[in-house]
């Protein structure tokens, strides 16, 4: 009776009891996006690789990314060393080029990496084989290490680093990414999607500006993007025309998302619950009330892009700046008044005006601007003034 | 098993010992009576004395009793039963006025029925002054020429409380009465079967209804009770998987009336799909079963449905939070009877309410269009004349489970699939016919046909729809050729037409050694095919008794799978040797085969390998049985099971692969190996008047070759220790107290040694270490149950308190990890859960 009901309910909820930090909160070394440009190549062409590497725990220090790859399986069966779990149990083995498993090659370090498949990749297939057009994937691995690894050093100097990676004293992350390789005509190939605008609490965040979020409450966030490409897929029932679905994955340095991934254009909405919410456990408001927000978008065909935003946790106790005058002096924007140190930033023509508060003159000064100014305060007021 | 209890046909009143009469003492003598196959009393002895004089008088009377023959498995058999004879002082005879002699006139008659159950009370003694009569099978009695006046009427019967009432006999009137006589202990089962069905199986445990009902923590479900027997591993969260001697669930089969049941439990294992209240018995064999059953290399569960009530209309309504069920049964004339029952869950209404009001976060993540919902039904019509040779029944039963989830956020699936649904439905019609040509030759026929449907869909592009139209025919003859030889011949034909429609990623994506490629998984493959699996089977079995204390059972079974184009012969032998009357040594060996699990596509040319071999296993066991008394038995057995030709997924070619060579992937090969071995102990106190219980211990080891056969390790269901102690005692005032204690070695777990982030799929894929190489903490739990029965004139109400996990033990069931598998925590099972319930029966 009740027991049976409880069995069902507890069974459904049993796994919901943990208070681990969600994947969308970035506090240490993480690779949260990998991009190939272009995301789809012909055999012999090269795609430039980049990774969105974050490491808030080592701000200002250099991390290392090692790029490795495998030759694609022309038969599209996923064979090869890069997906072989037996090769990945000890990722530190990938640090030693001399010990790399058969089929895995070093293709770059840090921001210098490109991937290309052999021009003769599909020679094993007949000229008219549909698998040439359907394509295959070249698997790329990025191995990020929370250390500045001098790969020009001698093996005995690198060995201690390898051991610390193996013992997890040095954080690392192995990431897999796939580059499509096909003989698809250029016009039909995939392109990376493009991030457009971020909207927070209904306000489109101006270019370069800081998003204003309220602590402890849900702040509605939305992203727009473009390049919803149409493409054809071959199904058991024939060829189908489809339109790409672009999914945005949200990441933040503090706070929590109600939904950490959203299909752009769907009815589901996401919100960033500002830090400081006791219900979220260990999620304090940062001392400087500042944090970062990352949006990574994927088009489901291997295309990927991202953008980073800064956010500020509004301080409801902050004094309200009183703007006495707005002037353009010597090509610079000068604000005078009181409590000007409470100005977070100034926006003009939907773009950030670079500048800041100068205590010596008790003014806010920035680059020259025309039109109406939006003065964004630490209390998250937006004061509009004209010069 | 006992299929017909003996009924008292002729009773003789014991002479009241003069010495006791003079002293005015009364007493009750409890005896054990041995009945021969024809119902005559062959022996009787006192087991609870009321004094020498009473004992002698009772024994002398009882030895003159005549009973109807008891039947075991439909055949007359010797049985032993307990019988109480109560001596009580009668009043002095009242001088009745004489009436004109117009022949005997029945002027006082009536009917005795058991209070609460309304079952006719046969063989009871009714005394009206010095007049006495016994009630017939229908509980009726009659007196002639009872003088007019007020009379004290006394009804006495073994195991029933003395019933006494005053009746006024009026002139020229017939007094018709109905007496509701209360049983001393409800739920008691008087007859102890002495002559079991002829033993052919070396490792069989049979349970009766009362045992099934009262075991704490099982909801009175027979099939869940089976999980408390030696040889059955405890599955995580106590859910419904039937894991026998380390075998996968597919290796074991469940039959109802010899008809294969494709789905044992509803979703979540809460209830079996067949109503336990309709079962006469359920028996379980963890291995080494005889030649009568095939196509299975694991264990066997066999339920036998009972004849619907021929003693009036009965039934129950059970309404609870999760589901409601209804059962009604009764006679149709003298020879026919029927039963009908059904159950329907309403979790689909309950869960949204809970989510709406208590667990908003879960509601946001999951949205049910059809929450877990199930129903099942059973209808049976049976012809079984009281003294006929034939028995015939038609039975319909089936089950339906449905679940549909909508993920409100389609982005949760990288491919944007926002729905998941599954439904399982099966239906069977079974026609059964038994005929006894003479006591030495019997025929049994079971023919069934059915319709099954399985639907699974993930979004609109990944789906599986399977429809089956199974036809099963089992015909057998049993012939007692001589006193030392009996033979059984049988035809076991199974025809399984399957319509399969499926579309899914290729099976090469999900190999155990490779990271699934989201691009390859998008290359969906489809299979729209009709498969027909005709599986004719023949078997023969001989029971040879060359010596009174030695029995050999030899059988052979031949099966052919027309789809696989392969056949096999499975010889099986068993030996029983009783050096002492209460001690039996037993041993058995046998070969077993089954087709690979076609349901998951192992034989599919698209997803599997149609050239797979039949999976095979060799079973070996030795053991002994010791009977300490009629109630207490000990069964100890050791076993070894060698599994070979197991279907095993091939590995994807990894490092060092010559990619210029085409893909050659059989997907599955018949090269899998495994072995299980262990020791099983069952110390059992059979159901008697007040107590039943058992101690079950299984030492169960299981090993498998993993990872394409490159690694040997412990099998997933390796459970070194599984100790279960069950007891249920009937207390005074219709209270029943039950307790279950369980100690089980912790479940095995595969640790994760690393994780890889898949930047295309945006998830972390754990890199597993050696499979099932870590054992989680042991499981310990105590469940208790207290029942109180209130007996009313025409119905009974049972209240019960069932407390699961009395000590609130935090038993570890599984391991959960954080998003990148750098942290883990134990997932514990249910906390203490007290449940108060009620059930009305009539």
């Amino acid at each position: 009776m009740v027991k049976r009901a409880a069995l069902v309910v507890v069974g459904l909820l049993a796994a919901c009891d943990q208070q681990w930090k969600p994947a969308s909160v970035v506090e240490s070394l993480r690779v949260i996006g990998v991009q190939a440009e272009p995301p789809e190549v012909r055999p012999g062409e090269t795609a430039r690789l980049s990774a969105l590497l974050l490491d808030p725990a080592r701000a200002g220090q250099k991390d290392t990314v090692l790029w490795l790859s495998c030759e694609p399986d022309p038969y599209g069966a996923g064979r090869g060393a890069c997906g072989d779990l037996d090769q990945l149990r000890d990722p530190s083995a990938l640090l030693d080029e001399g010990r790399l498993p058969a089929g895995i090659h070093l293709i770059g370090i840090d921001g210098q990496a490109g991937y290309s498949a052999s021009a003769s990749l599909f020679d094993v297939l007949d000229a008219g084989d549909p698998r040439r057009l359907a394509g295959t994937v070249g698997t790329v691995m990025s191995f990020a290490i929370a250390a500045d690894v001098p790969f020009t050093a001698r093996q005995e100097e690198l060995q201690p680093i390898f051991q610390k990676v193996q013992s997890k004293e040095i954080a690392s992350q192995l990431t897999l990414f796939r580059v499509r390789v096909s003989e698809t005509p250029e016009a039909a190939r995939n392109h990376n999607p493009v991030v457009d605008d971020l909207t927070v609490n209904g306000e489109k965040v101006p270019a370069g500006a800081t998003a204003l979020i309220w602590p402890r409450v849900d702040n509605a966030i939305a992203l727009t993007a473009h390049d919803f490409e149409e493409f054809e897929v071959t199904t058991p029932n024939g060829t189908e025309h489809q339109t790409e679905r672009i999914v945005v994955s949200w990441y933040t340095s503090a706070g929590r998302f109600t939904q950490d991934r959203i299909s752009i254009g769907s009815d589901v909405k996401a919100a960033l619950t500002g830090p400081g919410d006791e219900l979220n456990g260990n999620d304090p408001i940062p001392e400087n009330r500042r944090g970062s927000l990352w949006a990574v978008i994927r088009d489901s065909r291997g295309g990927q892009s991202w953008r980073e935003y800064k956010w500020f946790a509004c301080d409801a106790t902050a004094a309200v700046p009183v703007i006495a005058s707005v002037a353009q002096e010597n090509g610079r924007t000068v604000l005078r008044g009181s409590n000007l140190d409470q100005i977070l930033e100034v926006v003009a023509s939907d773009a950030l005006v670079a500048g800041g508060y100068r205590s010596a003159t008790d003014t806010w000064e920035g680059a020259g601007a025309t039109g109406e100014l939006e003065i964004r305060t630490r209390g998250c007021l937006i004061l509009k003034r004209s010069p | 098993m006992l299929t017909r209890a003996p009924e008292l046909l002729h009773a003789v009143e014991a002479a009241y010992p003069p010495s006791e009469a003079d002293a005015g003492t009364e007493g009750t003598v409890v005896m054990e009576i041995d009945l021969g196959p024809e119902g005559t009393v062959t022996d009787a002895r006192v087991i609870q004395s009321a004094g020498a004089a009473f004992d002698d008088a009772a024994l002398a009377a009882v030895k003159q009793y005549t009973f109807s023959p008891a039947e075991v498995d439909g055949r007359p058999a010797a049985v032993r039963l307990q019988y109480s004879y109560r001596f009580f002082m009668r009043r002095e005879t009242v001088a009745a006025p004489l009436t004109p002699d117009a022949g005997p006139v029945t002027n006082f008659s009536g009917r005795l029925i058991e209070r609460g159950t309304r079952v006719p009370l046969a063989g009871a003694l009714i005394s009206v002054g010095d007049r006495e009569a016994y009630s017939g099978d229908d509980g009726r009695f009659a007196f002639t020429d009872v003088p007019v006046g007020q009379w004290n009427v006394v009804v006495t019967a073994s195991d029933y409380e003395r019933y006494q009432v005053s009746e006024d006999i009026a002139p020229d009137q017939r007094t018709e009465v109905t007496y509701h006589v209360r049983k001393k202990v409800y739920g008691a089962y008087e007859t102890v079967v002495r002559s079991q069905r002829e033993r052919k199986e070396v490792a069989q445990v049979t349970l009766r209804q009362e045992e099934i009902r009262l075991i704490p923590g099982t909801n009175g479900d027979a099939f869940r009770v089976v999980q408390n027997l030696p040889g059955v591993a405890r599955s995580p969260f106590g859910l419904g998987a039937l894991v026998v001697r380390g075998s996968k669930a597919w290796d074991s089969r469940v039959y109802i009336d010899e008809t294969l049941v494709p789905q044992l439990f509803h979703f979540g294992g809460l209830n079996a799909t067949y109503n336990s209240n309709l079962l006469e018995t359920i028996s379980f064999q963890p291995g080494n079963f005889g030649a009568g059953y095939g196509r299975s290399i694991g264990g066997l569960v066999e339920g036998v449905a009972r004849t619907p009530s021929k003693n009036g209309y009965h039934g129950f309504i059970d309404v609870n939070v999760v589901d409601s069920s209804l059962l009604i049964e009764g006679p149709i004339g003298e020879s026919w009877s029927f039963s009908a029952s059904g159950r329907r869950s309403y979790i689909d209404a309950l869960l949204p309410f809970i989510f709406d009001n208590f667990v908003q976060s879960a509601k946001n993540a999951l949205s049910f269009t059809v929450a877990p919902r199930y129903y099942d039904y059973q209808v049976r019509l049976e012809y079984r004349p009281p003294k006929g040779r034939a028995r015939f029944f038609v039975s319909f039963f089936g089950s339906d489970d449905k679940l549909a989830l909508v993920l409100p956020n389609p982005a949760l699936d990288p491919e944007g699939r926002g729905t998941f649904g599954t439904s399982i439905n099966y239906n069977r019609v079974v026609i059964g016919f038994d005929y006894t040509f003479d006591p030495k030759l019997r025929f049994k026929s079971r023919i069934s046909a059915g319709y099954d449907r399985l639907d699974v869909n993930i979004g609109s592009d990944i789906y599986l729809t399977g429809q089956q139209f199974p036809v099963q025919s089992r015909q057998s003859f049993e012939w007692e050729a001589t006193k030392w030889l009996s033979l059984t011949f049988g035809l076991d034909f199974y025809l399984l037409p399957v319509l399969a429609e499926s579309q899914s990623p290729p099976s090469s994506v999900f190999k155990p050694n490779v990271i699934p490629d989201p691009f390859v998984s998008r290359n969906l493959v489809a299979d729209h095919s009709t498969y027909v699996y005709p599986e004719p089977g023949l078997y023969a079995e001989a029971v040879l008794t060359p010596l009174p204390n030695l029995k050999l059972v030899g059988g052979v079974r031949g099966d052919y799978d027309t789809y696989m184009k392969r056949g096999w012969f499975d010889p099986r032998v068993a030996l029983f040797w009783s050096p002492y009357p209460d001690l039996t040594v037993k041993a058995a060996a046998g070969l077993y085969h089954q087709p690979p699990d076609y349901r998951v596509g192992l034989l599919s040319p698209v997803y599997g390998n149609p050239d797979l071999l039949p999976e095979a296993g060799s079973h070996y066991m030795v053991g002994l049985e010791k009977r300490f008394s009629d109630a207490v038995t000990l069964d100890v057995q050791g076993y070894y099971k060698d599994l070979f030709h197991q279907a095993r997924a091939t590995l994807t070619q990894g490092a060092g692969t010559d990619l210029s060579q085409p893909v050659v992937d059989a997907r599955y090969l018949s090269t899998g190996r495994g072995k299980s071995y262990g020791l099983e102990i069952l110390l059992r106190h059979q159901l008697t008047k007040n107590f039943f219980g058992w101690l079950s211990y299984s030492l169960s080891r299981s090993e498998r070759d993993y990872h394409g056969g490159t690694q040997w390790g412990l099998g997933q269901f390796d459970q070194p220790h599984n100790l279960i102690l069950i007891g249920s005692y009937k207390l005074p005032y219709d209270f029943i107290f039950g307790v279950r204690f369980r100690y089980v070695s912790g479940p095995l777990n595969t640790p994760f040694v690393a994780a890889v982030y898949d930047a295309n799929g945006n998830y972390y894929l754990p890199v597993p270490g050696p499979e099932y190489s870590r054992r989680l903490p042991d499981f310990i739990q105590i469940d208790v149950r207290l029942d109180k029965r209130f007996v009313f004139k025409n119905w009974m109400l049972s209240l019960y308190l069932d407390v699961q996990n009395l000590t609130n033990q935090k038993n570890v069931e599984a391991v959960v990890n954080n998003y990148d598998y750098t942290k883990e925590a134990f997932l514990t099972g249910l906390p203490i859960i007290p449940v108060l319930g009620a059930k009305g029966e009539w």
Side-chain angles (χ1 to χ4, degrees), chain A residues 1-10 12-15 18 20-23 25 30-34 71-89 91 101-103 124 137 168 173-178 180 236-237 245 247 249 251 259 261-263 266 268 298 300-302 304, chain B residues 217 219 270-271 318-323 347 350-351 354-355 359 362 408-411 416 503 512-520 522 524-526 652-657 659-663 707 753-754 756-760 762 764-765 767-768 800 802 804 816-819 823-825 827 830 835 837-838:
Chain A
M1 296 197 180
V2 175
K3 177 171 63 181
R4 279 182 275 179
L7 268 169
V8 173
V9 175
V10 173
L12 283 167
L13 306 179
Q18 296 301 329
W20 289 318
K21 293 232 167 125
V25 176
R30 293 276 296 278
V31 171
I32 58 174
V34 177
E71 187 70 9
D73 180 353
Y75 296 95
R79 298 176 299 171
C82 285
D84 187 345
L85 284 170
D86 292 335
Q87 308 300 329
L88 306 178
R89 290 201 164 83
V124 296
V137 294
K168 297 177 182 172
Q173 181 182 313
L174 184 63
T175 301
L176 251 66
F177 181 72
R178 299 163 189 87
R180 285 191 68 78
N237 299 319
R245 176 191 300 269
V247 173
S249 300
Y251 299 87
Q259 302 279 347
R261 60 186 72 180
I262 294 289
S263 180
S266 74
V268 181
R298 293 176 171 84
S300 76
R301 291 202 295 157
Q304 225 170 103
Chain B
N219 286 327
L270 299 178
N271 287 305
D318 185 351
V319 180
N320 59 59
V321 177
V322 173
D323 59 31
I347 311 174
L350 176 74
L351 278 185
I354 293 174
F355 286 157
V359 199
N409 184 353
Q503 183 168 296
N513 67 323
V514 69
I515 296 175
D517 185 328
F519 293 100
V520 175
R522 200 171 295 161
L524 302 178
V525 293
T652 294
Q653 294 168 272
T657 301
L659 297 174
S660 66
Q661 298 301 311
V663 180
H707 213 66
V753 296
V756 178
Y757 177 62
D758 187 319
N760 294 103
N762 189 18
Y764 284 82
L765 182 92
V767 180
Y800 64 85
D802 196 325
Q804 191 165 352
V816 290
N817 297 86
N818 68 337
Y819 68 90
K823 295 177 181 172
E824 67 174 22
L827 189 62
L830 297 172
V835 177

Side-chain angles (χ1 to χ4, degrees), chain B residues 172-183:
Chain B
D172 301 328
Q173 286 185 14
R174 175 169 172 154
T175 302
E176 179 74 25
V177 296
T178 299
Y179 296 146
H180 295 79
V181 185
R182 196 182 197 289
K183 207 171 183 180

Side-chain angles (χ1 to χ4, degrees), chain B residues 71-85:
Chain B
E71 290 185 6
V72 174
D73 290 339
R75 307 167 67 180
V79 298
R80 175 177 294 172
L81 53 86
Q82 286 188 10
Y83 190 87
S84 300
Y85 197 104

Side-chain angles (χ1 to χ4, degrees), chain B residues 35-189:
Chain B
L35 300 184
E38 66 286 352
T40 55
V41 177
T42 57
D43 195 11
R45 67 196 73 74
V46 174
I47 59 173
Q48 182 181 311
S49 173
F54 279 139
D55 293 351
D56 292 344
L59 282 173
V62 160
K63 285 180 179 176
Q64 299 176 64
Y65 279 17
T66 304
F67 291 81
S68 65
E71 290 185 6
V72 174
D73 290 339
R75 307 167 67 180
V79 298
R80 175 177 294 172
L81 53 86
Q82 286 188 10
Y83 190 87
S84 300
Y85 197 104
R86 182 165 185 173
F87 292 86
F88 63 93
M89 297 296 294
R90 295 209 181 89
R91 298 182 314 167
E92 291 300 316
T93 304
V94 176
L98 294 174
T99 54
D101 187 6
V105 175
T106 299
N107 62 346
F108 178 50
S109 60
R111 187 163 178 248
L112 304 182
I113 57 178
E114 186 177 285
R115 188 177 176 85
T117 65
R118 297 177 294 109
V119 173
L121 176 54
L125 175 66
I126 304 100
S127 302
V128 181
D130 61 349
R131 291 172 165 79
E132 292 183 340
Y134 287 95
S135 57
D137 285 348
D138 57 358
R140 298 202 64 82
F141 66 90
F143 288 89
T144 57
D145 299 335
V146 178
V148 173
Q150 190 176 61
W151 292 91
N152 192 35
V153 180
V154 177
V155 178
T156 55
S158 177
D159 297 319
Y160 286 83
E161 292 184 354
R162 175 191 171 101
Y163 186 89
Q164 189 165 330
V165 67
S166 181
E167 297 287 357
D168 286 320
I169 305 298
D172 301 328
Q173 286 185 14
R174 175 169 172 154
T175 302
E176 179 74 25
V177 296
T178 299
Y179 296 146
H180 295 79
V181 185
R182 196 182 197 289
K183 207 171 183 180
K184 286 179 182 169
V185 181
Y186 280 83
Y189 208 91

